Amino acid sequence: MYSAAFPPSSRYVVDLRSDTVTRPTPEMYEAMQNAPVGDDVLGDDPTVTELEELAAKMTGKEAALFVPSGTMGNQIALASHCDRGDAIIVEEEAHIVYYEVGGPAMLAGVVTFTLPSNRGAMDPGNVEKHFLKRNLHTPGTSLLCLENTHNRGGGSIIPIETMREYRLIAEQHDVKIHLDGARVFNAAVALGVPVIDITEHVDSVNFCLSKGLRSPVGSLLCGSHDLIDKGRIWRKRFGGGMRQAGILAACGLVSLTKMVDRLAEDHARAKDLAKRISVLPGLSIDLDTVETNMVLVNTDAPAGDWQAWLAEAGVLCFPVAAHRLRLVFHGDIDDDCVDRAEKAFQEVADRCQHGITN
Ligand code: TLP
């Protein structure tokens, strides 16, 4: 999924590899130009402070910490919530275990118990069964990790009712909850609720500015004062202290004030293209699973072949399984891109049908 085999986005290419590929908007460049800045490691950057305060307010938490990436935000959360040797429960295909290169074991030093799910939503009863009490032999479970929307689930949403159930059982067992909410604003917009309706059920949330919200860099870890104080130390330890970071935080402010409602357009385009290409031979899509800005496309031919054929036809995407492609919609994809992507899929499907794929 991470090979650099394909060229970077250009306006001739429809880049559906990820919503991380967006470039800053003109308004963001302007905000960067005008941002008041200071040394944020010394606590002097007013723009970072403003962004952290806004993020905390929107998620209903006491405080927030601006970090360079979603991965660092998640890893700081684990290290801040847990002691070394603790157990955490995490969905078996969650980004935290699947795409963070062993971070939980190497950095926080925790033992991960991974559970199956229905597209990211673990059964609360099963979660509860796996909570461990520390004794001479077993590690104690200190953290439940959730991911909403769920990346490998295809941008799937955990129902708010299920979030509430996790909260209830976690409280009963004195377990904290961390939400990898890289795309939690996509979930909120799709559900038509303010993000706080989701984040109120967790102790900490990490969300990304650099995906559908279009900032070039940055994530925010939000939680209690105590957690964020610990997180600030972990951020420094991980080398994530940034100096005049107001330049970046200025884009984050544009993201949070101007880019949230826009996510609905990405969702609509995802659904639109999914519908159009689901009828093509050699492909299948479960349209009911297209909930936000991602589409999982099942391919009869190997997904790696489809990836290469589509790239020749001007569409970039990643395979996420042997016969499955992921398409991700974002602010640089307009209606014209959707038309061009449909045409490329049509072209490849025709070639496949007629056996001329080389
Ligand atoms: N996801 C990326 C890849 O790493 C897979 C993508 O293209 O989707 N949590 C979730 C749920 C994510 O999807 C991602 C990035 C992260 C955390 C990490 O964010 P960054 O890339 O800022 O470290």
Side-chain angles (χ1 to χ4, degrees):
M1 184 158 177
Y2 298 103
S3 87
F6 296 104
S9 312
S10 85
R11 66 197 181 88
Y12 304 106
V13 165
V14 180
D15 193 343
L16 302 175
R17 289 173 301 174
S18 182
D19 45 11
T20 58
V21 302
T22 53
R23 267 74 54 93
T25 63
E27 200 175 0
M28 287 178 179
Y29 280 109
E30 203 186 316
M32 284 191 245
Q33 178 95 29
N34 297 320
V37 295
D39 187 330
D40 181 54
V41 175
L42 304 180
D44 288 348
D45 192 303
T47 312
V48 172
T49 303
E50 189 183 341
L51 176 66
E52 291 178 342
E53 284 174 0
L54 178 61
K57 187 165 167 229
M58 289 173 89
T59 56
K61 304 296 169 212
E62 288 172 1
L65 181 69
F66 187 42
V67 296
S69 69
T71 302
M72 192 187 284
N74 281 335
Q75 295 304 324
I76 288 175
L78 265 48
S80 305
H81 277 295
C82 305
D83 289 329
R84 293 179 72 77
D86 279 0
I88 66 167
I89 292 183
V90 53
E91 194 277 334
E92 66 189 4
E93 293 204 39
H95 196 279
I96 284 177
V97 285
Y98 209 94
Y99 292 128
E100 296 187 10
V101 216
M106 286 202 65
L107 303 172
V110 293
V111 187
T112 44
F113 285 73
T114 56
L115 300 183
S117 73
N118 176 16
R119 297 192 309 120
M122 296 172 278
D123 171 41
N126 194 34
V127 169
E128 188 171 19
K129 259 199 267 171
H130 286 81
F131 286 150
L132 293 175
K133 269 262 164 290
R134 179 181 295 108
N135 63 29
L136 181 60
H137 310 283
T138 55
T141 308
S142 54
L143 192 66
L144 167 62
C145 294
L146 307 173
E147 186 175 311
N148 192 11
T149 65
H150 195 278
N151 184 337
R152 290 189 58 83
S156 47
I157 300 171
I158 300 179
I160 289 188
E161 189 43 44
T162 312
M163 299 287 297
R164 206 172 279 130
E165 287 181 58
Y166 295 137
R167 184 62 174 169
L168 213 68
I169 55 167
E171 267 171 13
Q172 281 163 6
H173 293 266
D174 200 18
V175 168
K176 299 282 187 231
I177 304 182
H178 171 66
L179 173 62
D180 175 354
R183 298 184 181 84
V184 71
F185 282 95
N186 292 82
V189 166
L191 292 173
V193 299
V195 78
I196 197 171
D197 285 13
I198 300 174
T199 54
E200 69 179 340
H201 302 296
V202 300
D203 296 284
S204 61
V205 54
N206 182 69
F207 69 82
C208 294
L209 298 166
S210 58
K211 299 194 164 61
L213 299 180
R214 307 192 70 170
S215 278
V217 175
S219 286
L220 283 134
L221 174 64
C222 311
S224 66
H225 284 304
D226 181 49
L227 184 87
I228 297 304
D229 287 349
K230 285 183 188 156
R232 205 170 287 281
I233 293 169
W234 277 104
R235 184 184 69 175
K236 189 72 172 67
R237 195 171 277 146
F238 288 156
M242 299 178 285
R243 301 293 179 174
Q244 284 71 39
I247 297 285
L248 299 171
C251 297
L253 286 167
V254 176
S255 287
L256 289 183
T257 53
K258 304 274 169 67
M259 296 291 159
V260 173
D261 295 342
R262 197 207 57 75
L263 294 171
E265 296 171 21
D266 301 343
H267 302 172
R269 291 194 177 101
K271 196 94 186 178
D272 182 24
L273 184 67
K275 273 191 199 146
R276 295 201 218 171
I277 63 175
S278 62
V279 294
L280 295 175
L283 298 179
S284 71
I285 299 173
D286 180 349
L287 292 175
D288 289 340
T289 66
V290 184
E291 295 180 78
T292 58
N293 68 329
M294 294 188 190
V295 180
L296 296 179
V297 185
N298 301 310
T299 56
D300 289 351
D305 291 351
W306 264 91
Q307 177 193 25
W309 299 327
L310 284 167
E312 278 170 35
V315 171
L316 303 184
C317 62
F318 281 129
V320 288
H323 288 268
R324 177 172 282 186
L325 297 171
R326 181 187 80 158
L327 315 179
V328 189
F329 292 74
H330 50 78
D332 288 353
I333 299 296
D334 59 14
D335 290 337
D336 177 54
C337 294
V338 173
D339 291 342
R340 284 188 286 142
E342 180 191 16
K343 216 163 140 244
F345 269 94
Q346 174 88 59
E347 226 174 85
V348 174
D350 284 352
R351 282 168 62 191
C352 274
Q353 235 192 345
H354 298 104
I356 39 173
T357 45
N358 294 318

